[in-house]
Amino acid sequence: MATTSFLYHTLGLRGYQHLRTDYRGGAVYHHVELRFDRRTCRGCGARCDELTLEGRFERTFRALPVGSRRQFVVLHGHEQLCQRCGSKLREPIAFAVGKRRHIKVFERFVVDLCRIAPIKHVAMLLGVSWTLVKEIFKGHLRRRLRTRSLKSIRLIAIDEFSIRKGHQYMTVVLDLESGEILHSDEGRSADSVIPFLRRLRAVRAPLEAVAMDMWPAYLLAVRDVFPEVEIVHDPYHVVSMANTAVDTTRRDMYRDLRGPERNVLKGSRFLLLRGGERLDDDALLHLERLESLNKPLFQAYLLKEDLRRFWSMPSRKAARKFLGAWIARCLATRIKPMVSLAKSLRSHRRGLLAYFDFPISTGPLEGINNKIKVLKRQAYGFRDLDYFKLRLAFLHEATPAFPG
Ligand SMILES: [Zn+2]
């Protein structure tokens, strides 16, 4: 029958007989019934010839809309007594999952739409609730994530980003080869990352190196689970530490100054933090005045600029030599923020030099940070943290940044 095959091809109703179609309140209702020869027992799987009809039930399922018209499937179901296992059960329903009130094809359609439009708009278009659309999409992401293997993970980066202003953080772990966020969790303690590292260990992932800043909790976590793996303190964070040290130096000095020196320092923040190669003539002139007026600050600036050469050293050996000399020079300045920077780099020397065996960094995570910011601004943000984490796990996919 034409309509039976239409329902099969458009709604995926295999083995169902079309009974009739109603049009009520602007919606379309297709009444269907499972064909006799397709009947099975939900308890033991016995075939139709071992089943007897014991009663009827009716359930309505949402199907794909036809344009702006809603469409439903009304199942005329049977309660069956099984001769083989003796149970009296409703027939199994092939086109819907569990207690869900929509057919599978509808779910697939929702997922497709969620890839190109905000949840809010998908919900409006389909005339269903925001929650239903979100739950369907969430389930889809969760199923996909379950199939993701950690078996070949070699290089990762760990970093945190702030969830809200103040001190609420989330930890993220990035696969540096695929660009996928492998793990995310609230907080930035060792516990935010240890369970994930244990999973890596459990699947015998060939982990070789981890890029991170010098946050002690992450260091401890990696040392605890993967003692043999190399930790790489990446350029990005170290340069930013050096910038902070120069800026603190400037502020300390500014506080104690009067007169013209103070004025020269006042407008210097920007040029001190900017890379020397990116300064224009005016800025260079300013820098010159700074040099003659305030030696220590200029010294700090030069050290910061010089440190960036570390990562372009031709070999690990050259880098070690350079770092040792740099630390000594820095300590000799006796400028407080610079001295503490030098001490910190000294105690993390191994992780700094590891860069020459594994030139990796958390840089790619910084790029992802912008995407996370967009995700955060979206209405669902943190109301459903599980959903947020799932979205993070698929952030690498070229999904348009849609709100809602
Ligand atoms: Zn049975």
Side-chain angles (χ1 to χ4, degrees):
M1 193 172 157
T3 314
T4 294
S5 73
F6 175 78
L7 292 182
Y8 165 62
H9 288 292
T10 59
L11 305 181
L13 304 190
R14 185 191 287 268
Y16 285 86
Q17 189 72 44
H18 174 250
L19 301 172
R20 65 177 191 278
T21 297
D22 291 343
Y23 304 90
R24 276 187 282 127
V28 182
Y29 293 84
H30 300 290
H31 295 257
V32 300
E33 184 181 44
L34 187 61
R35 265 169 35 198
F36 175 74
D37 59 346
R38 295 287 185 130
R39 303 198 167 282
T40 55
C41 167
R42 216 171 71 209
C44 70
R47 299 292 309 245
C48 53
D49 44 5
E50 295 185 87
L51 304 170
T52 52
L53 181 66
E54 282 290 310
R56 290 183 179 275
F57 70 95
E58 197 178 291
R59 273 182 73 186
T60 303
F61 299 86
R62 185 177 290 272
L64 306 181
V66 183
S68 57
R69 225 165 248 264
R70 287 167 300 146
Q71 194 173 216
F72 295 92
V73 170
V74 183
L75 172 69
H76 294 256
H78 299 78
E79 280 168 12
Q80 334 175 104
L81 179 67
C82 176
Q83 311 296 329
R84 198 203 286 180
C85 73
S87 58
K88 195 181 124 180
L89 294 166
R90 287 183 169 194
E91 71 192 29
I93 302 167
F95 57 78
V97 176
K99 289 195 159 64
R100 287 184 205 164
R101 287 169 25 207
H102 50 261
I103 66 174
K104 286 177 185 170
V105 173
F106 179 79
E107 234 171 77
R108 278 202 291 280
F109 190 49
V110 167
V111 168
D112 286 345
L113 289 175
C114 281
R115 291 213 186 89
I116 56 165
I119 286 179
K120 197 171 129 193
H121 295 175
V122 174
M124 271 163 60
L125 179 74
L126 297 175
V128 296
S129 73
W130 184 89
T131 316
L132 176 65
V133 174
K134 189 198 71 177
E135 287 306 317
I136 288 174
F137 193 50
K138 188 173 163 183
H140 162 77
L141 292 180
R142 192 181 287 134
R143 283 189 296 278
R144 280 190 57 203
L145 191 60
R146 251 184 244 131
T147 66
R148 187 182 282 177
S149 163
L150 298 176
K151 273 186 186 143
S152 53
I153 303 298
R154 292 192 316 125
L155 305 167
I156 59 174
I158 306 177
D159 206 355
E160 89 262 337
F161 66 90
S162 77
I163 307 183
R164 294 185 190 93
K165 288 209 174 75
H167 295 284
Q168 265 182 298
Y169 291 94
M170 238 179 135
T171 297
V172 277
V173 178
L174 184 76
D175 179 353
L176 286 169
E177 292 176 296
S178 72
E180 294 170 347
I181 291 183
L182 298 173
H183 168 77
S184 59
D185 201 6
E186 283 173 289
R188 52 167 180 169
S189 66
D191 288 338
S192 320
V193 73
I194 282 180
F196 169 75
L197 293 172
R198 294 219 169 107
R199 274 174 56 213
L200 275 186
R201 182 109 257 183
V203 299
R204 296 164 190 267
L207 191 67
E208 290 175 22
V210 183
M212 65 167 86
D213 59 12
M214 298 177 184
W215 183 240
Y218 296 158
L219 271 163
L220 282 174
V222 175
R223 281 280 152 269
D224 183 38
V225 185
F226 283 98
E228 75 285 6
V229 158
E230 205 66 68
I231 289 170
V232 182
H233 297 307
D234 63 287
Y236 179 88
H237 279 99
V238 180
V239 166
S240 123
M241 279 167 71
N243 271 331
T244 306
V246 171
D247 202 35
T248 311
T249 308
R250 185 190 61 87
R251 261 189 285 126
D252 288 354
M253 294 189 164
Y254 184 74
R255 228 180 358 242
D256 305 334
L257 286 177
R258 294 289 170 270
E261 273 196 308
R262 190 174 167 105
N263 284 333
V264 172
L265 242 66
K266 198 172 179 183
S268 65
R269 179 167 196 268
F270 174 72
L271 73 100
L272 285 172
L273 301 186
R274 193 159 220 204
E277 72 286 356
R278 292 165 67 209
L279 295 179
D280 60 18
D281 290 349
D282 278 357
L284 289 172
L285 208 67
H286 195 150
L287 204 60
E288 252 171 58
R289 260 186 295 159
L290 196 69
E291 178 185 7
S292 58
L293 278 172
N294 196 303
K295 291 274 189 234
L297 182 55
F298 190 68
Q299 237 182 330
Y301 166 78
L302 288 183
L303 280 165
K304 181 265 293 184
E305 282 296 292
D306 202 33
L307 180 61
R308 302 192 308 164
R309 282 171 51 215
F310 173 74
W311 292 278
S312 50
M313 286 291 133
S315 67
R316 190 191 167 105
K317 199 178 160 197
R320 188 192 302 123
K321 214 173 137 196
F322 175 91
L323 187 62
W326 188 91
I327 289 169
R329 273 159 61 214
C330 212
L331 290 171
T333 63
R334 306 196 175 198
I335 304 166
K336 236 174 156 186
M338 299 308 284
V339 168
S340 65
L341 170 68
K343 285 182 178 165
S344 170
L345 297 196
R346 189 172 59 189
S347 63
H348 293 90
R349 204 191 307 232
R350 183 179 159 187
L352 289 165
L353 290 168
Y355 183 79
F356 292 87
D357 296 317
F358 298 98
I360 56 172
S361 85
T362 62
L365 263 174
E366 301 305 324
I368 281 178
N369 242 321
N370 287 324
K371 280 187 167 184
I372 293 178
K373 273 185 202 139
V374 173
L375 198 60
K376 255 163 54 175
R377 276 201 295 274
Q378 297 174 347
Y380 46 76
F382 299 97
R383 269 186 292 171
D384 182 347
L385 199 68
D386 282 342
Y387 180 57
F388 186 76
K389 288 183 190 170
L390 283 166
R391 289 293 306 271
L392 285 179
F394 292 98
L395 206 62
H396 60 286
E397 293 184 348
T399 317
F402 42 73

